[in-house]
Amino acid sequence: MNDFSVDGKKVVVLGLARSGEAAARLLYDLGASVTVNEYKEKQELQNAEELESLGISFVTGGHPLSLLEPRPLFVVKNPGIRYDNPLVKRAIEADIPVITEIELAAQVVEGTMIAITGSNGKTTTTELITRMISEDGKQAEVAGNIGRPASEVARTIDKDGFMVTEVSSFQLKGTLHFKPKIALMLNIFDAHLDYHGTKEDYVNSKTRITTEQTEEDFFVYNADDPIVVQAAEKSRATKVPFSVKRPLNTGAYYMNDNIYWQGTVIMKRADAALPGIHNLENILAAVAAAKLSGVSDRAIAHVLNVFTGVEHRLQYVKTLQGRKVFNDSKATNILATEKALQAFKEPVVLIAGGLDRGNEFDGLMSSMENVKALISYGETKHKLKSTADVAGVQTTEATNTLDEAVATAFRASDVGDVILLSPACASWDQYRTFEERGEAFIRAIGAIE
C-alpha cells in the first residue's frame, strides 16, 4: 500500500458502524469496488440502503470466507473485531493485508496529521492540541477514536490544516504504513489484555504510532514512563520528550510551578484550569505538539487558562449540598482511576465498578489515602469492595446498579467531600458506552435534589 491506489480494485470492509461507513464511502469515492460485510442483517444497519444505492455491495448475516475470493486488495477491519475472527484469520493466513480505517486516513490526508496514543489521557490531550491550533487561527479538526472517523475527516483538511487524531491500540494494530508527522505517546499501562492477549502485543501495537516515522517527523514521548522511553529508543523520528519530574535539555517540562518549552516559560501551572498531576502530563504533551505545529505562546496559554476538561473525563458536574461531584466515566482502567484520585486533596467518596475482565484491583490501593468511602457496583463490585477493605477504607459497600451506588455514595458523604465516579472498568456490563454511563450518573445525581 505504499503507492496507494484502489481504482478498480476489490476491497472488503468488515464491520459497518461509523468507521466502516466512512471507510466504505472513501474507498468508493477513490474508485474501489467495495463490499461491506456485517454480521447483522441488512435491515438492522443504518444507511445500508443509501450505500447500496451508490453501488457498494453488502454481505450480511455472517462472515463467509468466500468474501476473500477473488482475492481483495485488502480488508478494512472495524477496530473492535478481534483477530481470531475466522475471516480475519483466513485473510492473514493468505497474506491479505488487514487494516483499520486510520490507515486509509493517513494515505489521503493532505494536511498535517498529529496522532495521540497512550493508556490514559488521550482524549484530553487531543482536545487541548486541537483547541491550541484553532486558537492560533489555523484549521484543526479532531478525528479518530473520538469525534468523526479519521477517513471522513481526512478529506476536509487542506494542505495547511491539521488533523488531530486520537488512536487506540486496536486501531494501531491494524496499520502498515501509518506515518503521522507528529506522534505522541503519553503512557503505557496494562490494558485491553482481553483483546491483545499479552502485554507485549499491546505495547507493540501502541508503538506502531512511530514505527514508520523518519527523522523528518516528531515523536513526543513521556520521559517519565520507562516503557514509553523504550519505545522512543526504537523510533527513527526526531525525539521530543516531556517530563513532570525534572528539567530537560529539550522538549516540555514542569519546574517551580512553571510550564516550560525548550527552556522558556510558557505560563504558570497554577493558571491552568485542569487539575491533577495526570493533567499536567497531558498539558506538557499538548504544549510540545502545539509548539511543533507553530502555535504561539499566547494561544497555548489562553486555552490552558479556560479549558476545564472533556465530558466524562474528570468532568465537574455540580456542587450538590456542599459536595463537589465529578464524572470520570471515561476511566475504564485502573491507571485512569488512580490518576483521578491523585487529583484531589479533599476526602473522596469513590463510585467504581463495571465489566469484569478478570483482573484484580490491587493497583488502586496506594491511591486510596483520601478515599473515605468506596461504593462499588456491577460485575466487579465484590472485587473492588475487597480491595478497599484491605486498603483500610473506612466505609465500603457493594451495590448492584449505578443508580443504587449514587444514592449510597451521597448518604456516605459529608459537606466538603468529593463524590467521584471513576469506575476503573469498562461500561459494557450495564451500558453500551462510557458516555452512556456518564450520562446515567449525571441523571442519578440530578435526581437527588
Side-chain angles (χ1 to χ4, degrees), residues 178-192:
F178 185 66
K179 185 178 178 291
K181 181 67 177 178
I182 303 172
L184 291 82
M185 185 178 285
L186 305 177
N187 44 57
I188 294 290
F189 175 71
D190 287 355
H192 304 304

Side-chain angles (χ1 to χ4, degrees), residues 42-199:
K42 192 184 302 180
Q43 59 267 26
E44 300 178 67
L45 303 175
Q46 189 176 10
N47 298 332
E49 288 187 8
E50 179 187 347
L51 294 174
E52 206 166 30
S53 71
L54 295 175
I56 294 172
S57 302
F58 275 80
V59 175
T60 60
H63 300 302
L65 300 182
S66 58
L67 280 167
L68 303 180
E69 298 293 341
R71 180 187 179 94
L73 182 63
F74 52 83
V75 174
V76 182
K77 182 185 74 67
N78 182 288
I81 295 175
R82 295 169 58 101
Y83 283 83
D84 55 7
N85 176 285
L87 185 63
V88 175
K89 287 178 66 176
R90 180 63 63 87
I92 292 172
E93 290 168 359
D95 291 326
I96 298 170
V98 178
I99 65 170
T100 51
E101 61 92 27
I102 59 165
E103 179 81 2
L104 298 179
Q107 300 289 346
V108 303
V109 66
E110 293 185 359
T112 298
M113 175 180 272
I114 302 174
I116 301 96
T117 200
S119 301
N120 189 50
K122 298 185 295 295
T123 300
T124 298
T125 305
T126 300
E127 289 285 354
L128 281 172
I129 294 168
T130 306
R131 291 169 187 243
M132 289 171 178
I133 295 172
S134 297
E135 179 66 23
D136 213 40
K138 303 178 176 69
Q139 181 194 26
E141 299 290 341
V142 170
N145 207 34
I146 59 171
R148 292 184 292 157
S151 56
E152 176 184 317
V153 175
R155 293 188 285 178
T156 71
I157 304 297
D158 61 41
K159 62 182 179 61
D160 297 319
F162 295 80
M163 185 168 76
V164 189
T165 314
E166 177 184 323
V167 289
S168 68
S169 60
F170 295 7
Q171 292 168 308
L172 287 166
K173 187 174 172 66
T175 59
L176 299 174
H177 306 291
F178 185 66
K179 185 178 178 291
K181 181 67 177 178
I182 303 172
L184 291 82
M185 185 178 285
L186 305 177
N187 44 57
I188 294 290
F189 175 71
D190 287 355
H192 304 304
L193 299 189
D194 54 334
Y195 181 93
H196 288 281
T198 65
K199 183 174 182 178

Side-chain angles (χ1 to χ4, degrees), residues 125-283:
T125 305
T126 300
E127 289 285 354
L128 281 172
I129 294 168
T130 306
R131 291 169 187 243
M132 289 171 178
I133 295 172
S134 297
E135 179 66 23
D136 213 40
K138 303 178 176 69
Q139 181 194 26
E141 299 290 341
V142 170
N145 207 34
I146 59 171
R148 292 184 292 157
S151 56
E152 176 184 317
V153 175
R155 293 188 285 178
T156 71
I157 304 297
D158 61 41
K159 62 182 179 61
D160 297 319
F162 295 80
M163 185 168 76
V164 189
T165 314
E166 177 184 323
V167 289
S168 68
S169 60
F170 295 7
Q171 292 168 308
L172 287 166
K173 187 174 172 66
T175 59
L176 299 174
H177 306 291
F178 185 66
K179 185 178 178 291
K181 181 67 177 178
I182 303 172
L184 291 82
M185 185 178 285
L186 305 177
N187 44 57
I188 294 290
F189 175 71
D190 287 355
H192 304 304
L193 299 189
D194 54 334
Y195 181 93
H196 288 281
T198 65
K199 183 174 182 178
E200 180 182 16
D201 187 76
Y202 175 64
V203 172
N204 288 342
S205 298
K206 287 287 193 186
T207 303
R208 288 211 57 79
I209 198 169
T210 188
T211 300
E212 297 296 313
Q213 287 188 300
T214 67
E215 61 276 1
E216 297 176 351
D217 307 310
F218 298 97
F219 184 50
V220 177
Y221 70 96
N222 187 347
D224 302 328
D225 187 314
I227 298 177
V228 174
V229 171
Q230 289 178 8
E233 289 170 351
K234 299 174 185 176
S235 175
R236 294 176 294 159
T238 298
K239 299 173 182 60
V240 183
F242 65 89
S243 173
V244 302
K245 296 181 177 179
R246 63 188 189 277
L248 301 171
N249 293 327
T250 185
Y253 61 91
Y254 168 76
M255 186 176 65
N256 298 330
D257 195 41
N258 288 318
I259 294 167
Y260 286 83
W261 167 251
Q262 306 288 48
T264 300
V265 174
I266 299 293
M267 66 183 295
K268 286 190 172 298
R269 169 67 177 103
D271 292 335
L274 286 172
I277 190 69
H278 66 296
N279 274 323
L280 180 55
E281 293 177 349
N282 301 333
I283 287 168

